[in-house]
Amino acid sequence: MSAGTQVHANLTEEQVREISDGLDEPDWLLETRLEALAALEDLEMPDVIRTPGRDWTNLHELDFESLVDPLNAAENKDQVGPEDAEVLPWSEAVADHEDLLQEHFGSIVDPQENYLTALSTALFSTGTVIYVPEGVDAEDVTVRTEQNSRSLFNYTLVITEESSSVTILERQSTGEEAAEQYYSGVVEVAAGENSYVQYGSLQNLSEDAYNFTVKRGVADTYATIDWIEGNLGTQLTKTEVSTTLSGDSSETQIVGAFYGHNDQHFDLDAKVWHRAEHTTADLVTRGITDDVARSVYEGVQDVGADAWDTSSYQRENTLMLSDESEADASPKLIINNHDTEASHSATVGQIDAEDLFYMTSRGVDPRSARNMLVEGFFVPVLEEIDVDELRDDLEELIGTRLRERE
């Protein structure tokens, strides 16, 4: 494949140098960007779910040459956190913490893993570094990004030192709407020994937008990384959330919720890699497809040969509100150690006719009954969200979408 031919026509080294110079970056980081740019010609698109005769997500059809405008990135961004933790815009992090950036940047998400990670590495012009020193409990870190340009490339790095904790709420939305936009986000989380990270994200971009996001974390001994992933916006979202449990007794939870309507398409990955002893993972995703929307989900629990005494659970449920919507789920369990307790399941179906009949027979009108069943469907996911603001916002957006439905 020569995926890079789609975008190379309007990308140059000079553009990448201008972005890097504007952020006053060191030479090693500029070199990383240039190497990613040069690699584009030879890199493949990210893997997508394939069923017989069908690729569910066709990234090759995106017109990157039109979507990517590297020197005209514009946004409104809030980066707020408590005083005892550092929540820094990328340019300030470059000036204040070059040593941390050099140690962690690209250590979890390979800049040249695929075409879209390389594109993001070469062109990102905005970002946030969240650094939580040893023993600090940092609550209510908020990062809000409002996209006001054709394309926006965002990078986030979270570093927690020993026995620290942080809760983060990230939002992406659209400000000045263009006909089509492209948002790319890369998130790396390095959780130190006995630290705790909860990273909640709510994506509500314009339904004319395209979104590629990868969020990955590595958990050290006794560390915990919990992800909450809410997706409602865009016409196409390709996203992955994953954790590597590299330290003994480390834990992770990945909670996902999505609601697609009209012609939206969601391609969602949730993955955990058990690489140490006594590790625990819980993956739970629930979503809706309506109208002619489509969703495809891939979940992976990979238990390594040295991952003794592993507990790993996964469940994914999709509810289709129309006959024309589509959904596919592919949970995978890979076990290389017999000392493992694990399960995985996935369901795709429509509202239970008996439940609907029961409610309407007791005087609830059909529309209200359907909406109540849908809201009840999301309860197991909403109950897992500890951040009140994120839970309330997600619940409100789901309710609004249901009320707008004819």
Side-chain angles (χ1 to χ4, degrees):
M1 190 192 91
S2 183
T5 54
Q6 296 180 71
V7 71
H8 265 196
N10 66 346
L11 279 186
T12 65
E13 278 195 18
E14 287 69 29
Q15 291 170 331
V16 174
R17 290 181 184 277
E18 187 172 336
I19 294 170
S20 184
D21 287 347
L23 296 167
D24 200 20
E25 291 178 343
D27 290 342
W28 65 265
L29 187 50
L30 170 61
E31 194 60 33
T32 301
R33 288 178 180 271
L34 293 174
E35 289 173 357
L37 178 71
L40 286 175
E41 288 188 8
D42 300 319
L43 291 174
E44 301 284 343
M45 285 290 179
D47 291 337
V48 299
I49 294 289
R50 293 182 171 88
T51 52
R54 181 178 185 181
D55 287 349
W56 278 75
T57 305
N58 191 346
L59 298 169
H60 298 275
E61 289 186 351
L62 295 186
D63 182 6
F64 286 97
E65 186 166 336
S66 170
L67 289 171
V68 173
D69 190 2
L71 298 183
N72 292 298
E75 61 168 351
N76 289 324
K77 188 184 284 292
D78 290 327
Q79 294 152 307
V80 181
E83 290 184 359
D84 46 5
E86 296 192 53
V87 182
L88 303 173
W90 183 252
S91 57
E92 290 185 27
V94 168
D96 295 349
H97 290 296
E98 182 185 341
D99 52 341
L100 283 177
L101 301 187
Q102 192 158 15
E103 179 181 356
H104 294 287
F105 181 86
S107 65
I108 301 173
V109 179
D110 181 354
Q112 299 182 30
E113 178 175 303
N114 57 54
Y115 183 84
L116 296 184
T117 59
L119 189 66
S120 191
T121 300
L123 300 181
F124 79 91
S125 59
T126 183
T128 308
V129 173
I130 300 165
Y131 171 58
V132 187
E134 182 177 346
V136 169
D137 296 325
E139 297 183 353
D140 301 326
V141 173
T142 302
V143 180
R144 295 186 179 89
T145 303
E146 184 182 79
Q147 181 175 353
N148 292 319
S149 53
R150 183 77 163 169
S151 58
L152 191 66
F153 294 85
N154 195 13
Y155 174 81
T156 304
L157 174 63
V158 180
I159 303 162
T160 54
E161 291 192 339
E162 184 176 347
S163 301
S164 64
S165 69
V166 63
T167 59
I168 301 163
L169 173 56
E170 179 197 24
R171 301 163 185 265
Q172 299 103 25
S173 60
T174 299
E176 299 172 11
E177 293 193 30
E180 291 182 325
Q181 294 174 307
Y182 179 72
Y183 177 88
S184 176
V186 174
V187 178
E188 295 184 290
V189 175
E193 183 176 341
N194 195 40
S195 68
Y196 171 78
V197 178
Q198 184 179 83
Y199 197 108
S201 176
L202 183 55
Q203 180 272 111
N204 192 29
L205 294 162
S206 159
E207 290 183 30
D208 289 325
Y210 300 93
N211 173 35
F212 168 72
T213 302
V214 55
K215 300 184 177 84
R216 286 191 194 147
V218 175
D220 204 339
T221 303
Y222 290 111
T224 297
I225 300 176
D226 289 344
W227 304 94
I228 301 159
E229 180 84 347
N231 283 290
L232 284 98
T234 77
Q235 61 174 301
L236 189 157
T237 281
K238 167 69 178 170
T239 182
E240 177 202 310
V241 181
S242 67
T243 305
T244 299
L245 299 171
S246 63
D248 289 356
S249 302
S250 53
E251 300 180 7
T252 191
Q253 184 181 50
I254 302 175
V255 175
F258 64 92
Y259 191 146
H261 69 161
N262 295 331
D263 193 28
Q264 288 186 284
H265 178 76
F266 294 124
D267 184 318
L268 312 166
D269 288 358
K271 298 175 180 175
V272 59
W273 314 96
H274 295 267
R275 292 296 180 263
E277 298 182 6
H278 316 299
T279 57
T280 301
D282 186 19
L283 284 59
V284 53
T285 298
R286 288 203 165 199
I288 297 287
T289 56
D290 197 1
D291 303 320
V292 291
R294 300 162 306 282
S295 72
V296 58
Y297 166 88
E298 181 179 51
V300 174
Q301 305 150 267
D302 187 305
V303 181
D306 297 325
W308 298 94
D309 188 25
T310 292
S311 298
S312 190
Y313 306 97
Q314 176 185 187
R315 53 213 184 273
E316 198 275 343
N317 308 100
T318 304
L319 192 61
M320 296 186 296
L321 298 186
S322 75
D323 293 336
E324 293 76 27
S325 64
E326 296 181 283
D328 188 80
S330 177
K332 295 182 174 68
L333 185 54
I334 304 166
I335 298 179
N336 295 296
N337 187 305
H338 63 79
D339 188 14
T340 298
E341 290 185 3
S343 66
H344 66 300
S345 65
T347 63
V348 174
Q350 297 184 323
I351 288 179
D352 188 276
E354 290 189 10
D355 291 343
L356 195 59
F357 175 76
Y358 177 84
M359 296 182 71
T360 55
S361 66
R362 279 153 178 78
V364 181
D365 67 87
R367 178 171 177 167
S368 297
R370 182 206 61 208
N371 290 356
M372 291 169 67
L373 288 170
V374 171
E375 289 170 339
F377 172 77
F378 277 109
V379 166
V381 166
L382 295 171
E383 286 180 341
E384 300 294 339
I385 302 175
D386 291 334
V387 181
D388 293 342
E389 184 180 350
L390 175 57
R391 183 176 59 251
D392 293 345
D393 287 354
L394 185 57
E395 202 167 17
E396 182 179 346
L397 288 169
I398 291 169
T400 299
R401 185 157 291 186
L402 279 170
R403 288 191 295 274
E404 291 173 347
R405 188 177 190 269
E406 294 183 357

